[in-house]
Amino acid sequence: MKNVIHLLIIILMSGCISEDQGKEEVHLPIDANATQETVALYQNLKDLSGEHVLFGHQDDLAYGFNWWDEPGRSDVMEVSGSYPAVYGWDLGNIAEKRKDNLDGINFKKMRTYIQEGYNRGGVITFSWHMLNPVTGGNSWDTVPTITQILPGKEHHQTYRDWLDIFAEFSTTLIGNDGELIPVIFRPFHEHNGDWFWWGKGINDEEDYIALWRFTVEYLRDEKQVHNLLWAFSPDRSRTNIENFKKDYFYGYPGDDYVDIIGLDNYWDVGHPANETDPNIQQEHFIQSLTYTAQIADSLNKIAALTETGIETIPDPESWSNIYLAALKANPWTERIVYMLTWRNANKNRENRDHYYAPFHGEPSTENFIEFKETEFILFEDELPDLYKKPVKKEQR
Ligand code: BMA
């Protein structure tokens, strides 16, 4: 009898294991050698999708609307009681080994902010307003560039050198747990626009794809960077909503080169250049999120609103009426797993009102607190451990 029970237990267990393995197989990032924490982050985000949206903010720990470089501070924390769940950082200027990024954040300090966020359980994402490797100008120096930096081309070595610097920065980010900090890397964003040197109309689509693929292969296979999840993020303003599912794929490098199906959408949330009626804009916002989530689902990937916001937050109820309303609009929009609002530029340094999240005394604060308090939206203080292997839903 004892033997029969033993056998039964073994049979039952092996059933569980193979089911687990099956699940893991379909949930793996594109890097087969991704670190355990990176895989866990990917799987946990996928598990949270449909249940919660993580709130994120660019440059959150480095400065705010009226402070600069004061340890522990964060506009989001000061108004809501919690740091954001997602921290965006930009590596613009790193390639030239400059001390500071393009918005004045010292790279050594950025490293400590990244570590602080990770140690508290937050998610880190990088964009890279990369200098132009051909002209030495900035990201907005829109001369045809990609064709000159691909393998075998005149400026290829410069590009490789810059990736080496990126690799060195990314592989020396270590948390208090002694592990490499996973990063959602979102290179060459908004490439369907024509404002960056990697953009549409300036380069051929196949060159953009070749650049993306080279970048993945070089960092992953040659430089052995294994703490990255790769996010693709076209801009909504250069898609036709009627044709979104086709337009989205401009420059798409392929399923083996992308983990996160992202969308940058400032356009439908009140962009000053968008003259569409606000109610229609809201409908378009919902449609764009619905389609993004459907695309992600069809590819078995994760969907995210990789950049959003309205400069100066003209509508103080927008956290409920625009963002939450759209994210909760239907079971598809609910699958967006995080949203990243852009930076709160420091008023003294930049002498302009360029902020996208509330700060102490800013009129949308009250509504932002309501937004934070909904069960659906997660800030850092509500996060599960995203870096541990996920517990299957039914075991929670
Ligand atoms: C843009 C603006 C710029 C900034 C750049 C990179 O959207 O905020 O001021 O330099 O992002 O962060």
Side-chain angles (χ1 to χ4, degrees):
M1 187 63 186
K2 218 171 156 195
N3 282 347
V4 174
I5 292 174
H6 205 157
L7 196 67
L8 267 174
I9 291 173
I10 291 173
I11 292 169
L12 281 172
M13 275 177 59
S14 63
C16 291
I17 291 165
S18 64
E19 197 187 305
D20 261 338
Q21 281 170 345
K23 201 173 178 236
E24 275 170 29
E25 255 164 36
V26 285
H27 285 238
L28 287 174
I30 60 164
D31 180 359
N33 296 317
T35 66
Q36 265 185 40
E37 289 68 28
T38 309
V39 175
L41 174 63
Y42 184 71
Q43 294 179 334
N44 279 310
L45 289 178
K46 203 146 201 286
D47 269 7
L48 285 173
S49 160
E51 292 177 12
H52 296 286
V53 174
L54 275 56
F55 177 80
H57 187 216
Q58 183 75 4
D59 290 353
D60 188 78
L61 303 175
Y63 58 87
F65 183 69
N66 50 29
W67 57 273
W68 180 270
D69 183 21
E70 294 181 36
R73 290 196 70 175
S74 145
D75 281 348
V76 166
M77 189 270 290
E78 286 168 25
V79 298
S80 75
S82 170
Y83 292 104
V86 178
Y87 298 92
W89 299 106
D90 196 280
L91 299 185
N93 287 8
I94 198 171
E96 288 289 291
K97 291 210 169 163
R98 296 188 194 166
K99 261 188 4 278
D100 301 336
N101 91 337
L102 78 169
D103 297 314
I105 306 174
N106 177 285
F107 281 114
K108 284 206 180 109
K109 287 191 176 155
M110 189 188 288
R111 178 184 288 282
T112 63
Y113 300 137
I114 290 167
Q115 287 162 332
E116 278 171 32
Y118 173 76
N119 291 339
R120 284 194 297 256
V123 176
I124 312 300
T125 176
F126 287 168
S127 49
W128 190 355
H129 283 81
M130 197 188 289
L131 295 170
N132 185 314
V134 171
T135 65
N138 64 23
S139 301
W140 295 268
D141 190 11
T142 50
V143 296
T145 300
I146 299 182
T147 172
Q148 302 184 65
I149 62 172
L150 287 173
K153 300 300 177 68
E154 208 183 329
H155 293 275
H156 181 62
Q157 192 54 46
T158 308
Y159 183 56
R160 236 174 222 264
D161 293 345
W162 291 7
L163 291 183
D164 291 350
I165 295 167
F166 172 91
E168 150 79 23
F169 187 77
S170 307
T171 54
T172 48
L173 295 168
I174 312 284
N176 280 351
D177 56 3
E179 303 296 340
L180 270 176
I181 301 176
V183 172
I184 297 174
F185 183 34
R186 193 167 63 86
F188 306 124
H189 63 301
E190 301 172 4
H191 61 287
N192 56 343
D194 57 2
W195 43 88
F196 298 132
W197 60 252
W198 53 87
K200 188 174 175 180
I202 303 152
N203 308 277
D204 288 341
E205 182 176 13
E206 60 266 33
D207 285 344
Y208 178 83
I209 292 173
L211 178 65
W212 184 293
R213 290 184 178 172
F214 168 79
T215 308
V216 171
E217 285 164 4
Y218 184 71
L219 289 173
R220 182 190 60 194
D221 307 334
E222 213 161 317
K223 301 300 293 182
Q224 300 290 320
V225 184
H226 296 303
N227 53 333
L228 302 179
L229 295 174
W230 293 77
F232 179 74
S233 59
D235 193 87
R236 155 68 183 112
S237 70
R238 296 300 170 91
T239 62
N240 176 344
I241 201 70
E242 313 300 334
N243 208 24
F244 187 91
K245 285 194 181 172
K246 184 166 175 290
D247 290 355
Y248 183 89
F249 286 97
Y250 173 82
Y252 183 67
D255 302 346
D256 294 340
Y257 293 86
V258 172
D259 292 306
I260 296 184
I261 294 294
L263 182 70
D264 284 15
N265 194 346
Y266 295 95
W267 188 244
D268 295 322
V269 298
H271 192 286
N274 188 351
E275 288 167 2
T276 312
D277 172 88
N279 292 321
I280 312 267
Q281 283 194 35
Q282 182 70 6
E283 268 173 43
H284 288 170
F285 188 32
I286 293 169
Q287 277 171 291
S288 74
L289 297 178
T290 304
Y291 297 147
T292 303
Q294 287 174 346
I295 291 169
D297 184 63
S298 72
L299 303 173
N300 200 19
K301 297 187 187 292
I302 300 171
L305 180 52
T306 40
E307 273 187 50
T308 190
I310 318 171
E311 191 184 66
T312 74
I313 321 175
D315 173 1
E317 305 286 318
S318 54
W319 302 108
S320 305
N321 294 349
I322 298 183
Y323 304 104
L324 187 62
L327 289 164
K328 292 230 58 158
N330 65 54
W332 287 109
T333 60
E334 288 181 357
R335 291 169 88 148
I336 299 291
V337 82
Y338 71 85
M339 65 179 274
L340 181 80
T341 49
W342 205 239
R343 62 198 195 96
N344 283 6
N346 181 268
K347 172 89 177 175
N348 278 342
R349 288 175 68 109
E350 302 197 22
N351 196 23
R352 60 177 175 148
D353 290 325
H354 181 62
Y355 59 85
Y356 293 80
F359 50 86
H360 188 67
E362 189 280 327
S364 77
T365 296
E366 205 178 308
N367 185 243
F368 188 68
I369 293 168
E370 277 172 38
F371 170 80
K372 188 212 176 271
E373 281 171 358
T374 57
E375 205 224 316
F376 186 59
I377 306 288
L378 298 186
F379 281 51
E380 192 175 76
D381 62 349
E382 300 156 298
L383 287 177
D385 188 343
L386 296 172
Y387 299 101
K388 283 235 172 73
K389 206 170 178 303
V391 178
K392 284 180 69 184
K393 278 185 192 164
E394 54 271 27
Q395 292 167 4
R396 275 187 206 145

